[in-house]
């Protein structure tokens, strides 16, 4: 591992924002994963850009994470820099939010502001950044239904804002994923609603999630893409693999 990377990271970030040999199992919903060489938590878009620039100059691999959902990390860890855009980048209001904002937080703020359309995301255990990358969705709603624009950082270090059409949002995909962009923030377009009705929908979806998923266990929620006209659970059951286990997986 490049020995200069640690010094350069500390020249950009505060000491508490740079952790060495950080166990990834405490940052994933699966609760597995070995140590990352460096785990950093930038607080601004500028800090994200500088960290990416340093990693590129030093030829050190980097990977962006949010809340750690849908993320399976090897027990051997990650030899590079993990950049977490979550807790330090989660300032948001009704429709403008940074990449690190939890979807549940945005949903609750929207409810308090009596804005409807984001209820579907209230129970998804992830951040806005990850949701934009994969066009996250649940219970009939998707990010493509509410996103207006997304501001990203390109691999060349340029910051650009993409419109809804430019995002190329599809089933669990987007131009962000295809071009390896990093989400910095987004604008969400919602509609006026009534708080009690919004809360009722969120409570109903929460109950459905609780009854259908074993939330007491480490989980990333749904794992498989839904085949057109079918659903993965039935295929797994028909193949005789329901409950199949290898070690702790």
């Amino acid at each position: 591992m490049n020995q200069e990377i640690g010094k350069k990271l500390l020249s950009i970030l505060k000491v508490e924002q740079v952790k060495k040999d950080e166990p990834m199992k405490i940052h994933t919903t699966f609760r597995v994963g070995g140590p990352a060489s460096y785990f950093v938590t930038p607080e601004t878009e500028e800090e994200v850009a500088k960290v990416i620039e340093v990693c590129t100059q030093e030829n050190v691999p980097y990977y962006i994470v949010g809340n750690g959902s849908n993320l399976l990390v090897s027990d051997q860890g990650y030899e590079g820099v993990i950049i977490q855009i979550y807790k330090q980048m989660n300032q948001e209001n009704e429709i403008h939010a940074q990449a690190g904002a939890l979807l549940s937080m945005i949903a609750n703020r929207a409810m308090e502001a009596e804005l409807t359309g984001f209820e579907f995301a209230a129970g998804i255990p992830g951040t806005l950044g990850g949701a934009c990358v994969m066009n996250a969705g649940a219970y009939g709603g998707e990010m493509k239904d509410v996103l207006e624009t997304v501001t990203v950082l390109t691999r060349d270090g340029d910051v650009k804002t993409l419109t809804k059409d430019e995002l190329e949002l599809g089933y669990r995909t987007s131009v962000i994923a295809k071009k390896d962009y990093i989400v910095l923030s987004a604008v969400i377009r919602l509609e006026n609603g009534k708080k009690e009705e919004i809360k009722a929908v969120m409570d109903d979806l929460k109950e459905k999630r609780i009854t259908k998923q074993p939330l007491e266990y480490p989980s990333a929620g749904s794992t498989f893409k839904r085949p057109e006209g079918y659903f993965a659970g039935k295929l797994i059951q028909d193949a005789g693999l329901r409950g199949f286990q290898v070690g702790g997986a």
Side-chain angles (χ1 to χ4, degrees), residues 198-239:
I198 296 170
K199 185 177 186 302
V201 173
M202 289 171 59
D203 288 345
D204 179 57
L205 295 182
K206 180 180 179 181
E207 181 63 26
K208 288 180 178 179
R209 188 177 293 272
I210 291 173
T211 57
K212 291 183 178 181
Q213 297 185 18
L215 299 180
E216 68 273 21
Y217 298 110
S219 171
S222 299
T223 302
F224 301 100
K225 286 186 176 181
R226 181 185 294 273
E228 186 173 349
Y230 225 84
F231 57 97
K234 182 66 164 58
L235 297 176
I236 293 171
Q237 182 172 313
D238 291 348

Side-chain angles (χ1 to χ4, degrees), residues 96-158:
H96 294 265
Q98 290 183 296
L102 286 171
L103 297 177
S104 58
M105 179 187 296
I106 297 174
N108 283 322
R109 294 289 180 86
M111 179 184 69
E112 292 298 327
E114 295 195 298
L115 294 173
T116 184
F118 207 72
E119 293 90 331
F120 74 90
I124 299 177
T127 60
L128 179 61
C132 291
V133 172
M134 67 176 295
N135 184 29
Y139 298 108
E142 292 181 283
M143 292 302 295
K144 70 178 180 64
D145 301 328
V146 297
L147 281 175
E148 187 74 17
T149 62
V150 177
T151 299
V152 301
L153 180 70
T154 71
R155 291 193 67 86
D156 294 328
D158 298 323

Side-chain angles (χ1 to χ4, degrees), residues 184-204:
L184 298 175
S185 61
V187 176
I188 300 166
R189 185 188 71 252
L190 302 175
E191 303 292 336
N192 292 325
K194 295 182 179 179
K195 182 177 179 179
E196 60 273 17
E197 294 177 359
I198 296 170
K199 185 177 186 302
V201 173
M202 289 171 59
D203 288 345
D204 179 57

Side-chain angles (χ1 to χ4, degrees), residues 9-209:
L9 289 173
L10 288 171
S11 72
I12 299 169
L13 308 172
K14 297 187 288 288
V15 174
E16 60 268 26
Q17 291 176 267
V18 181
K19 297 181 180 179
K20 195 173 186 299
D21 298 324
E22 177 76 352
M24 286 303 296
K25 66 181 180 181
I26 65 177
H27 297 289
T28 65
T29 54
F30 282 135
R31 296 294 180 261
V32 297
S37 300
Y38 287 95
F39 185 93
V40 301
T41 53
E43 297 179 347
T44 66
E45 296 179 3
E46 291 74 18
E47 287 183 350
V48 174
K50 288 179 180 178
V51 170
I52 298 296
E53 182 180 4
V54 164
C55 290
T56 302
Q57 291 175 345
E58 296 296 320
N59 198 30
V60 172
Y62 64 86
Y63 193 83
I64 306 295
V65 303
N67 190 37
S69 57
N70 287 351
L71 188 65
L72 184 60
V73 182
S74 167
D75 288 338
Q76 295 179 0
Y78 183 77
E79 189 172 351
V81 179
I82 295 291
I83 305 170
Q84 186 190 56
I85 302 180
Y86 163 32
K87 294 180 180 178
Q88 303 303 322
M89 289 183 65
N90 64 0
Q91 300 303 310
E92 51 84 24
N93 56 29
E94 293 85 6
I95 59 172
H96 294 265
Q98 290 183 296
L102 286 171
L103 297 177
S104 58
M105 179 187 296
I106 297 174
N108 283 322
R109 294 289 180 86
M111 179 184 69
E112 292 298 327
E114 295 195 298
L115 294 173
T116 184
F118 207 72
E119 293 90 331
F120 74 90
I124 299 177
T127 60
L128 179 61
C132 291
V133 172
M134 67 176 295
N135 184 29
Y139 298 108
E142 292 181 283
M143 292 302 295
K144 70 178 180 64
D145 301 328
V146 297
L147 281 175
E148 187 74 17
T149 62
V150 177
T151 299
V152 301
L153 180 70
T154 71
R155 291 193 67 86
D156 294 328
D158 298 323
V159 175
K160 60 192 302 185
T161 298
L162 304 175
T163 65
K164 183 175 181 177
D165 290 339
E166 291 174 323
L167 288 169
E168 299 178 13
L169 297 166
Y171 181 62
R172 303 301 174 262
T173 187
S174 69
V175 72
I176 304 169
K178 295 172 184 175
K179 294 192 175 182
D180 204 19
Y181 291 155
I182 297 170
V183 177
L184 298 175
S185 61
V187 176
I188 300 166
R189 185 188 71 252
L190 302 175
E191 303 292 336
N192 292 325
K194 295 182 179 179
K195 182 177 179 179
E196 60 273 17
E197 294 177 359
I198 296 170
K199 185 177 186 302
V201 173
M202 289 171 59
D203 288 345
D204 179 57
L205 295 182
K206 180 180 179 181
E207 181 63 26
K208 288 180 178 179
R209 188 177 293 272

